[in-house]
Amino acid sequence: WQFWLQLSAVLDMASHWLHLHATDLSGKKTHKQSTNPILHLYYTSRPFLGFMCAGNEAFYLFLYIRAFFPGPALFGVHFMSALAFLAFPIAAVKSAISAVHLVTAAMDVVELDERAIDQQKK
């Protein structure tokens, strides 16, 4: 599972870094403005942002705890495994939002670069 966990971490870090870089290049005052409806919801709804971040971190926390202490079992399912299973959809959606972040930021950087090239040609 190491590759998938590392990929998830890299996706999260790269998407945030590129988003902040695109914001810096554009001269915007804040990175929390987006025309993308998913990112708009993510940044304007504190309950949604909090739920997504808490659920994502809970998933990884449950996986970590499960590695050392799976907890009691009921019908062959260990408690920590069940909690990780319940938190997984939140982590998956958070990763999808990170992918949207990455693609949107990349498109913003390309647009800014194209504008700079057009201005240099003039």
Side-chain angles (χ1 to χ4, degrees):
W1 297 103
Q2 181 178 359
F3 173 77
W4 298 109
L5 295 173
Q6 288 175 338
L7 182 64
S8 174
V10 167
L11 174 64
D12 192 43
M13 288 185 283
S15 66
H16 281 87
W17 180 86
L18 190 58
H19 183 71
L20 290 171
H21 181 61
T23 301
D24 188 42
L25 290 176
S26 69
K28 293 179 184 174
K29 301 273 189 237
T30 179
H31 71 282
K32 296 188 176 190
Q33 296 172 341
S34 179
T35 57
N36 182 290
I38 294 170
L39 296 180
H40 180 74
L41 173 65
Y42 187 73
Y43 281 125
T44 58
S45 173
R46 289 182 71 101
F48 181 70
L49 175 64
F51 176 78
M52 294 307 300
C53 291
N56 185 57
E57 298 305 316
F59 172 69
Y60 293 108
L61 178 67
F62 295 142
L63 285 182
Y64 182 76
I65 293 171
R66 180 184 166 273
F68 300 100
F69 175 70
L74 183 62
F75 302 113
V77 177
H78 290 277
F79 185 64
M80 287 299 148
S81 296
L83 290 175
F85 179 79
L86 291 173
F88 173 74
I90 300 167
V93 170
K94 176 74 170 63
S95 289
I97 290 171
S98 289
V100 169
H101 237 149
L102 188 63
V103 170
T104 302
M107 290 177 7
D108 289 347
V109 170
V110 167
E111 182 180 326
L112 291 166
D113 284 349
E114 287 175 343
R115 275 195 232 150
I117 290 170
D118 287 345
Q119 287 178 351
Q120 286 178 352
K121 289 180 180 178
K122 292 180 181 181

